[in-house]
Amino acid sequence: MTLEEAKNYIDNVRWQYAKTYVTAPHEYTVLDWKPETKEQMIDFANFILENGYKEQFYSKTYTVLQIGEYKYWSMDFPTLNTNLINRTFIDEARKARLVNFVQSPDFKHVYKMSLEDVEKQMRDKKAKDEQALLENLRVEDVWKEDHSWENQILSRWHGACFTNIYFKEGLYEVKIFLDCGTIDMAKWKSFTSLEEAKAFAEKEMLRLDAY
């Protein structure tokens, strides 16, 4: 088997998230799901053994092979007995984020889901939370007309952050400050549109106040 043939095999089988191993996120493909790929699965298992490297997982040592953003391994020896192949992300930080998410009450297991499906669910939850925070900001905090400083037109507080918006020479200038005992400027940016300036300030205040 060549690398291109291995990639072709990978792309043509189904990979399913192993829900019973929440602290070691990975997925697997099973021969029973596509029996006609038996020869390719065995060839791929041999390809892993011939081109991979040793890696320890708890008390066991496996031969793993990195292809793209994943690493692959088989647990069946001799390889003629192969009926399952595993894979997981190479990026440890990426796996750590998954471990935290799947152990939270926000995770909802869906039959036949893949690791990428789990990641999508995690991204969707984050986006939903950020939108809820933004809506909350718009309800609880309001922009106020403010002319305390030269060219200033608006100001707004959120948590430990406050923003002043100035209008000068046709531009809306956003200055965001963070109050951590001392007042420090955290962001400074100009826009041609007031709505863009306000949207930028709202998002940055949320982000800064979360730290």
mmCIF file with all atom_site columns, all heavy atoms in Angstrom, residues 35-53:
data_model
loop_
_atom_site.group_PDB
_atom_site.id
_atom_site.type_symbol
_atom_site.label_atom_id
_atom_site.label_alt_id
_atom_site.label_comp_id
_atom_site.label_asym_id
_atom_site.label_entity_id
_atom_site.label_seq_id
_atom_site.pdbx_PDB_ins_code
_atom_site.Cartn_x
_atom_site.Cartn_y
_atom_site.Cartn_z
_atom_site.occupancy
_atom_site.B_iso_or_equiv
_atom_site.pdbx_formal_charge
_atom_site.auth_seq_id
_atom_site.auth_comp_id
_atom_site.auth_asym_id
_atom_site.auth_atom_id
_atom_site.pdbx_PDB_model_num
ATOM 1   N N   . PRO A 1 35 ? -17.549 -4.570  4.853  1.00 0.00 ? 35 PRO A N   1
ATOM 2   C CA  . PRO A 1 35 ? -16.800 -5.833  4.701  1.00 0.00 ? 35 PRO A CA  1
ATOM 3   C C   . PRO A 1 35 ? -15.977 -5.918  3.419  1.00 0.00 ? 35 PRO A C   1
ATOM 4   O O   . PRO A 1 35 ? -14.952 -6.616  3.385  1.00 0.00 ? 35 PRO A O   1
ATOM 5   C CB  . PRO A 1 35 ? -17.902 -6.898  4.707  1.00 0.00 ? 35 PRO A CB  1
ATOM 6   C CG  . PRO A 1 35 ? -19.079 -6.244  5.364  1.00 0.00 ? 35 PRO A CG  1
ATOM 7   C CD  . PRO A 1 35 ? -18.989 -4.797  5.007  1.00 0.00 ? 35 PRO A CD  1
ATOM 8   N N   . GLU A 1 36 ? -16.408 -5.202  2.391  1.00 0.00 ? 36 GLU A N   1
ATOM 9   C CA  . GLU A 1 36 ? -15.696 -5.275  1.115  1.00 0.00 ? 36 GLU A CA  1
ATOM 10  C C   . GLU A 1 36 ? -14.316 -4.625  1.174  1.00 0.00 ? 36 GLU A C   1
ATOM 11  O O   . GLU A 1 36 ? -13.518 -4.764  0.230  1.00 0.00 ? 36 GLU A O   1
ATOM 12  C CB  . GLU A 1 36 ? -16.539 -4.635  -0.004 1.00 0.00 ? 36 GLU A CB  1
ATOM 13  C CG  . GLU A 1 36 ? -16.748 -3.141  0.110  1.00 0.00 ? 36 GLU A CG  1
ATOM 14  C CD  . GLU A 1 36 ? -17.972 -2.764  0.952  1.00 0.00 ? 36 GLU A CD  1
ATOM 15  O OE1 . GLU A 1 36 ? -18.420 -3.604  1.763  1.00 0.00 ? 36 GLU A OE1 1
ATOM 16  O OE2 . GLU A 1 36 ? -18.445 -1.627  0.787  1.00 0.00 ? 36 GLU A OE2 1
ATOM 17  N N   . THR A 1 37 ? -14.008 -3.928  2.272  1.00 0.00 ? 37 THR A N   1
ATOM 18  C CA  . THR A 1 37 ? -12.697 -3.273  2.407  1.00 0.00 ? 37 THR A CA  1
ATOM 19  C C   . THR A 1 37 ? -11.717 -4.116  3.231  1.00 0.00 ? 37 THR A C   1
ATOM 20  O O   . THR A 1 37 ? -10.676 -3.595  3.657  1.00 0.00 ? 37 THR A O   1
ATOM 21  C CB  . THR A 1 37 ? -12.846 -1.886  3.070  1.00 0.00 ? 37 THR A CB  1
ATOM 22  O OG1 . THR A 1 37 ? -13.344 -2.055  4.409  1.00 0.00 ? 37 THR A OG1 1
ATOM 23  C CG2 . THR A 1 37 ? -13.780 -0.983  2.277  1.00 0.00 ? 37 THR A CG2 1
ATOM 24  N N   . LYS A 1 38 ? -12.015 -5.402  3.423  1.00 0.00 ? 38 LYS A N   1
ATOM 25  C CA  . LYS A 1 38 ? -11.154 -6.237  4.274  1.00 0.00 ? 38 LYS A CA  1
ATOM 26  C C   . LYS A 1 38 ? -9.693  -6.213  3.828  1.00 0.00 ? 38 LYS A C   1
ATOM 27  O O   . LYS A 1 38 ? -8.781  -6.031  4.651  1.00 0.00 ? 38 LYS A O   1
ATOM 28  C CB  . LYS A 1 38 ? -11.669 -7.684  4.291  1.00 0.00 ? 38 LYS A CB  1
ATOM 29  C CG  . LYS A 1 38 ? -10.823 -8.592  5.178  1.00 0.00 ? 38 LYS A CG  1
ATOM 30  C CD  . LYS A 1 38 ? -11.404 -10.002 5.254  1.00 0.00 ? 38 LYS A CD  1
ATOM 31  C CE  . LYS A 1 38 ? -10.546 -10.872 6.173  1.00 0.00 ? 38 LYS A CE  1
ATOM 32  N NZ  . LYS A 1 38 ? -11.110 -12.244 6.301  1.00 0.00 ? 38 LYS A NZ  1
ATOM 33  N N   . GLU A 1 39 ? -9.462  -6.402  2.547  1.00 0.00 ? 39 GLU A N   1
ATOM 34  C CA  . GLU A 1 39 ? -8.077  -6.432  2.048  1.00 0.00 ? 39 GLU A CA  1
ATOM 35  C C   . GLU A 1 39 ? -7.379  -5.090  2.281  1.00 0.00 ? 39 GLU A C   1
ATOM 36  O O   . GLU A 1 39 ? -6.217  -5.046  2.694  1.00 0.00 ? 39 GLU A O   1
ATOM 37  C CB  . GLU A 1 39 ? -8.072  -6.779  0.555  1.00 0.00 ? 39 GLU A CB  1
ATOM 38  C CG  . GLU A 1 39 ? -6.666  -6.925  -0.020 1.00 0.00 ? 39 GLU A CG  1
ATOM 39  C CD  . GLU A 1 39 ? -6.684  -7.350  -1.484 1.00 0.00 ? 39 GLU A CD  1
ATOM 40  O OE1 . GLU A 1 39 ? -7.710  -7.881  -1.950 1.00 0.00 ? 39 GLU A OE1 1
ATOM 41  O OE2 . GLU A 1 39 ? -5.653  -7.130  -2.158 1.00 0.00 ? 39 GLU A OE2 1
ATOM 42  N N   . GLN A 1 40 ? -8.113  -3.990  2.053  1.00 0.00 ? 40 GLN A N   1
ATOM 43  C CA  . GLN A 1 40 ? -7.534  -2.665  2.260  1.00 0.00 ? 40 GLN A CA  1
ATOM 44  C C   . GLN A 1 40 ? -7.246  -2.405  3.744  1.00 0.00 ? 40 GLN A C   1
ATOM 45  O O   . GLN A 1 40 ? -6.233  -1.791  4.085  1.00 0.00 ? 40 GLN A O   1
ATOM 46  C CB  . GLN A 1 40 ? -8.487  -1.596  1.725  1.00 0.00 ? 40 GLN A CB  1
ATOM 47  C CG  . GLN A 1 40 ? -8.641  -1.617  0.211  1.00 0.00 ? 40 GLN A CG  1
ATOM 48  C CD  . GLN A 1 40 ? -9.907  -0.900  -0.206 1.00 0.00 ? 40 GLN A CD  1
ATOM 49  O OE1 . GLN A 1 40 ? -11.015 -1.406  -0.024 1.00 0.00 ? 40 GLN A OE1 1
ATOM 50  N NE2 . GLN A 1 40 ? -9.741  0.290   -0.768 1.00 0.00 ? 40 GLN A NE2 1
ATOM 51  N N   . MET A 1 41 ? -8.147  -2.880  4.611  1.00 0.00 ? 41 MET A N   1
ATOM 52  C CA  . MET A 1 41 ? -7.928  -2.688  6.047  1.00 0.00 ? 41 MET A CA  1
ATOM 53  C C   . MET A 1 41 ? -6.671  -3.421  6.504  1.00 0.00 ? 41 MET A C   1
ATOM 54  O O   . MET A 1 41 ? -5.862  -2.874  7.261  1.00 0.00 ? 41 MET A O   1
ATOM 55  C CB  . MET A 1 41 ? -9.144  -3.162  6.855  1.00 0.00 ? 41 MET A CB  1
ATOM 56  C CG  . MET A 1 41 ? -8.952  -3.032  8.363  1.00 0.00 ? 41 MET A CG  1
ATOM 57  S SD  . MET A 1 41 ? -10.406 -3.517  9.332  1.00 0.00 ? 41 MET A SD  1
ATOM 58  C CE  . MET A 1 41 ? -11.259 -1.945  9.439  1.00 0.00 ? 41 MET A CE  1
ATOM 59  N N   . ILE A 1 42 ? -6.484  -4.647  6.027  1.00 0.00 ? 42 ILE A N   1
ATOM 60  C CA  . ILE A 1 42 ? -5.285  -5.416  6.385  1.00 0.00 ? 42 ILE A CA  1
ATOM 61  C C   . ILE A 1 42 ? -4.042  -4.744  5.831  1.00 0.00 ? 42 ILE A C   1
ATOM 62  O O   . ILE A 1 42 ? -3.018  -4.620  6.514  1.00 0.00 ? 42 ILE A O   1
ATOM 63  C CB  . ILE A 1 42 ? -5.411  -6.866  5.872  1.00 0.00 ? 42 ILE A CB  1
ATOM 64  C CG1 . ILE A 1 42 ? -6.511  -7.605  6.643  1.00 0.00 ? 42 ILE A CG1 1
ATOM 65  C CG2 . ILE A 1 42 ? -4.077  -7.610  6.014  1.00 0.00 ? 42 ILE A CG2 1
ATOM 66  C CD1 . ILE A 1 42 ? -6.871  -8.965  6.066  1.00 0.00 ? 42 ILE A CD1 1
ATOM 67  N N   . ASP A 1 43 ? -4.144  -4.284  4.579  1.00 0.00 ? 43 ASP A N   1
ATOM 68  C CA  . ASP A 1 43 ? -3.005  -3.571  3.973  1.00 0.00 ? 43 ASP A CA  1
ATOM 69  C C   . ASP A 1 43 ? -2.664  -2.316  4.768  1.00 0.00 ? 43 ASP A C   1
ATOM 70  O O   . ASP A 1 43 ? -1.481  -1.989  4.965  1.00 0.00 ? 43 ASP A O   1
ATOM 71  C CB  . ASP A 1 43 ? -3.329  -3.191  2.527  1.00 0.00 ? 43 ASP A CB  1
ATOM 72  C CG  . ASP A 1 43 ? -3.303  -4.388  1.589  1.00 0.00 ? 43 ASP A CG  1
ATOM 73  O OD1 . ASP A 1 43 ? -2.789  -5.452  2.004  1.00 0.00 ? 43 ASP A OD1 1
ATOM 74  O OD2 . ASP A 1 43 ? -3.801  -4.261  0.454  1.00 0.00 ? 43 ASP A OD2 1
ATOM 75  N N   . PHE A 1 44 ? -3.697  -1.612  5.240  1.00 0.00 ? 44 PHE A N   1
ATOM 76  C CA  . PHE A 1 44 ? -3.459  -0.386  6.000  1.00 0.00 ? 44 PHE A CA  1
ATOM 77  C C   . PHE A 1 44 ? -2.824  -0.708  7.358  1.00 0.00 ? 44 PHE A C   1
ATOM 78  O O   . PHE A 1 44 ? -1.912  0.002   7.810  1.00 0.00 ? 44 PHE A O   1
ATOM 79  C CB  . PHE A 1 44 ? -4.759  0.386   6.190  1.00 0.00 ? 44 PHE A CB  1
ATOM 80  C CG  . PHE A 1 44 ? -4.580  1.724   6.842  1.00 0.00 ? 44 PHE A CG  1
ATOM 81  C CD1 . PHE A 1 44 ? -3.570  2.592   6.449  1.00 0.00 ? 44 PHE A CD1 1
ATOM 82  C CD2 . PHE A 1 44 ? -5.431  2.139   7.858  1.00 0.00 ? 44 PHE A CD2 1
ATOM 83  C CE1 . PHE A 1 44 ? -3.408  3.841   7.048  1.00 0.00 ? 44 PHE A CE1 1
ATOM 84  C CE2 . PHE A 1 44 ? -5.278  3.373   8.470  1.00 0.00 ? 44 PHE A CE2 1
ATOM 85  C CZ  . PHE A 1 44 ? -4.268  4.229   8.059  1.00 0.00 ? 44 PHE A CZ  1
ATOM 86  N N   . ALA A 1 45 ? -3.260  -1.802  7.977  1.00 0.00 ? 45 ALA A N   1
ATOM 87  C CA  . ALA A 1 45 ? -2.659  -2.220  9.248  1.00 0.00 ? 45 ALA A CA  1
ATOM 88  C C   . ALA A 1 45 ? -1.172  -2.532  9.057  1.00 0.00 ? 45 ALA A C   1
ATOM 89  O O   . ALA A 1 45 ? -0.336  -2.159  9.891  1.00 0.00 ? 45 ALA A O   1
ATOM 90  C CB  . ALA A 1 45 ? -3.400  -3.436  9.802  1.00 0.00 ? 45 ALA A CB  1
ATOM 91  N N   . ASN A 1 46 ? -0.848  -3.213  7.957  1.00 0.00 ? 46 ASN A N   1
ATOM 92  C CA  . ASN A 1 46 ? 0.562   -3.494  7.655  1.00 0.00 ? 46 ASN A CA  1
ATOM 93  C C   . ASN A 1 46 ? 1.337   -2.212  7.357  1.00 0.00 ? 46 ASN A C   1
ATOM 94  O O   . ASN A 1 46 ? 2.496   -2.064  7.752  1.00 0.00 ? 46 ASN A O   1
ATOM 95  C CB  . ASN A 1 46 ? 0.654   -4.445  6.458  1.00 0.00 ? 46 ASN A CB  1
ATOM 96  C CG  . ASN A 1 46 ? 0.292   -5.870  6.834  1.00 0.00 ? 46 ASN A CG  1
ATOM 97  O OD1 . ASN A 1 46 ? 0.626   -6.331  7.921  1.00 0.00 ? 46 ASN A OD1 1
ATOM 98  N ND2 . ASN A 1 46 ? -0.406  -6.568  5.947  1.00 0.00 ? 46 ASN A ND2 1
ATOM 99  N N   . PHE A 1 47 ? 0.685   -1.285  6.671  1.00 0.00 ? 47 PHE A N   1
ATOM 100 C CA  . PHE A 1 47 ? 1.311   -0.001  6.337  1.00 0.00 ? 47 PHE A CA  1
ATOM 101 C C   . PHE A 1 47 ? 1.669   0.769   7.618  1.00 0.00 ? 47 PHE A C   1
ATOM 102 O O   . PHE A 1 47 ? 2.737   1.381   7.714  1.00 0.00 ? 47 PHE A O   1
ATOM 103 C CB  . PHE A 1 47 ? 0.343   0.817   5.476  1.00 0.00 ? 47 PHE A CB  1
ATOM 104 C CG  . PHE A 1 47 ? 0.926   2.083   4.920  1.00 0.00 ? 47 PHE A CG  1
ATOM 105 C CD1 . PHE A 1 47 ? 1.837   2.060   3.867  1.00 0.00 ? 47 PHE A CD1 1
ATOM 106 C CD2 . PHE A 1 47 ? 0.554   3.323   5.441  1.00 0.00 ? 47 PHE A CD2 1
ATOM 107 C CE1 . PHE A 1 47 ? 2.367   3.231   3.349  1.00 0.00 ? 47 PHE A CE1 1
ATOM 108 C CE2 . PHE A 1 47 ? 1.082   4.499   4.929  1.00 0.00 ? 47 PHE A CE2 1
ATOM 109 C CZ  . PHE A 1 47 ? 1.988   4.459   3.880  1.00 0.00 ? 47 PHE A CZ  1
ATOM 110 N N   . ILE A 1 48 ? 0.771   0.708   8.608  1.00 0.00 ? 48 ILE A N   1
ATOM 111 C CA  . ILE A 1 48 ? 1.031   1.353   9.902  1.00 0.00 ? 48 ILE A CA  1
ATOM 112 C C   . ILE A 1 48 ? 2.252   0.728   10.568 1.00 0.00 ? 48 ILE A C   1
ATOM 113 O O   . ILE A 1 48 ? 3.156   1.424   11.041 1.00 0.00 ? 48 ILE A O   1
ATOM 114 C CB  . ILE A 1 48 ? -0.203  1.234   10.824 1.00 0.00 ? 48 ILE A CB  1
ATOM 115 C CG1 . ILE A 1 48 ? -1.369  2.057   10.263 1.00 0.00 ? 48 ILE A CG1 1
ATOM 116 C CG2 . ILE A 1 48 ? 0.138   1.686   12.245 1.00 0.00 ? 48 ILE A CG2 1
ATOM 117 C CD1 . ILE A 1 48 ? -2.693  1.813   10.960 1.00 0.00 ? 48 ILE A CD1 1
ATOM 118 N N   . LEU A 1 49 ? 2.297   -0.609  10.593 1.00 0.00 ? 49 LEU A N   1
ATOM 119 C CA  . LEU A 1 49 ? 3.418   -1.317  11.243 1.00 0.00 ? 49 LEU A CA  1
ATOM 120 C C   . LEU A 1 49 ? 4.747   -1.033  10.546 1.00 0.00 ? 49 LEU A C   1
ATOM 121 O O   . LEU A 1 49 ? 5.785   -0.906  11.197 1.00 0.00 ? 49 LEU A O   1
ATOM 122 C CB  . LEU A 1 49 ? 3.144   -2.819  11.258 1.00 0.00 ? 49 LEU A CB  1
ATOM 123 C CG  . LEU A 1 49 ? 2.061   -3.319  12.218 1.00 0.00 ? 49 LEU A CG  1
ATOM 124 C CD1 . LEU A 1 49 ? 1.870   -4.815  12.053 1.00 0.00 ? 49 LEU A CD1 1
ATOM 125 C CD2 . LEU A 1 49 ? 2.426   -2.990  13.655 1.00 0.00 ? 49 LEU A CD2 1
ATOM 126 N N   . GLU A 1 50 ? 4.714   -0.942  9.224  1.00 0.00 ? 50 GLU A N   1
ATOM 127 C CA  . GLU A 1 50 ? 5.947   -0.762  8.456  1.00 0.00 ? 50 GLU A CA  1
ATOM 128 C C   . GLU A 1 50 ? 6.476   0.676   8.505  1.00 0.00 ? 50 GLU A C   1
ATOM 129 O O   . GLU A 1 50 ? 7.681   0.904   8.384  1.00 0.00 ? 50 GLU A O   1
ATOM 130 C CB  . GLU A 1 50 ? 5.696   -1.156  6.996  1.00 0.00 ? 50 GLU A CB  1
ATOM 131 C CG  . GLU A 1 50 ? 5.435   -2.646  6.811  1.00 0.00 ? 50 GLU A CG  1
ATOM 132 C CD  . GLU A 1 50 ? 4.826   -2.964  5.451  1.00 0.00 ? 50 GLU A CD  1
ATOM 133 O OE1 . GLU A 1 50 ? 4.682   -2.024  4.625  1.00 0.00 ? 50 GLU A OE1 1
ATOM 134 O OE2 . GLU A 1 50 ? 4.474   -4.139  5.221  1.00 0.00 ? 50 GLU A OE2 1
ATOM 135 N N   . ASN A 1 51 ? 5.580   1.642   8.699  1.00 0.00 ? 51 ASN A N   1
ATOM 136 C CA  . ASN A 1 51 ? 5.988   3.043   8.591  1.00 0.00 ? 51 ASN A CA  1
ATOM 137 C C   . ASN A 1 51 ? 5.803   3.864   9.869  1.00 0.00 ? 51 ASN A C   1
ATOM 138 O O   . ASN A 1 51 ? 6.184   5.037   9.903  1.00 0.00 ? 51 ASN A O   1
ATOM 139 C CB  . ASN A 1 51 ? 5.196   3.724   7.463  1.00 0.00 ? 51 ASN A CB  1
ATOM 140 C CG  . ASN A 1 51 ? 5.462   3.097   6.110  1.00 0.00 ? 51 ASN A CG  1
ATOM 141 O OD1 . ASN A 1 51 ? 6.471   3.375   5.476  1.00 0.00 ? 51 ASN A OD1 1
ATOM 142 N ND2 . ASN A 1 51 ? 4.558   2.219   5.671  1.00 0.00 ? 51 ASN A ND2 1
ATOM 143 N N   . GLY A 1 52 ? 5.238   3.235   10.899 1.00 0.00 ? 52 GLY A N   1
ATOM 144 C CA  . GLY A 1 52 ? 4.935   3.969   12.117 1.00 0.00 ? 52 GLY A CA  1
ATOM 145 C C   . GLY A 1 52 ? 6.049   3.961   13.139 1.00 0.00 ? 52 GLY A C   1
ATOM 146 O O   . GLY A 1 52 ? 7.180   3.559   12.863 1.00 0.00 ? 52 GLY A O   1
ATOM 147 N N   . TYR A 1 53 ? 5.731   4.401   14.334 1.00 0.00 ? 53 TYR A N   1
ATOM 148 C CA  . TYR A 1 53 ? 6.686   4.453   15.447 1.00 0.00 ? 53 TYR A CA  1
ATOM 149 C C   . TYR A 1 53 ? 5.981   3.962   16.722 1.00 0.00 ? 53 TYR A C   1
ATOM 150 O O   . TYR A 1 53 ? 4.756   3.939   16.797 1.00 0.00 ? 53 TYR A O   1
ATOM 151 C CB  . TYR A 1 53 ? 7.211   5.878   15.644 1.00 0.00 ? 53 TYR A CB  1
ATOM 152 C CG  . TYR A 1 53 ? 6.135   6.888   15.952 1.00 0.00 ? 53 TYR A CG  1
ATOM 153 C CD1 . TYR A 1 53 ? 5.788   7.201   17.277 1.00 0.00 ? 53 TYR A CD1 1
ATOM 154 C CD2 . TYR A 1 53 ? 5.450   7.550   14.927 1.00 0.00 ? 53 TYR A CD2 1
ATOM 155 C CE1 . TYR A 1 53 ? 4.791   8.117   17.560 1.00 0.00 ? 53 TYR A CE1 1
ATOM 156 C CE2 . TYR A 1 53 ? 4.452   8.467   15.213 1.00 0.00 ? 53 TYR A CE2 1
ATOM 157 C CZ  . TYR A 1 53 ? 4.129   8.749   16.528 1.00 0.00 ? 53 TYR A CZ  1
ATOM 158 O OH  . TYR A 1 53 ? 3.140   9.656   16.805 1.00 0.00 ? 53 TYR A OH  1
#
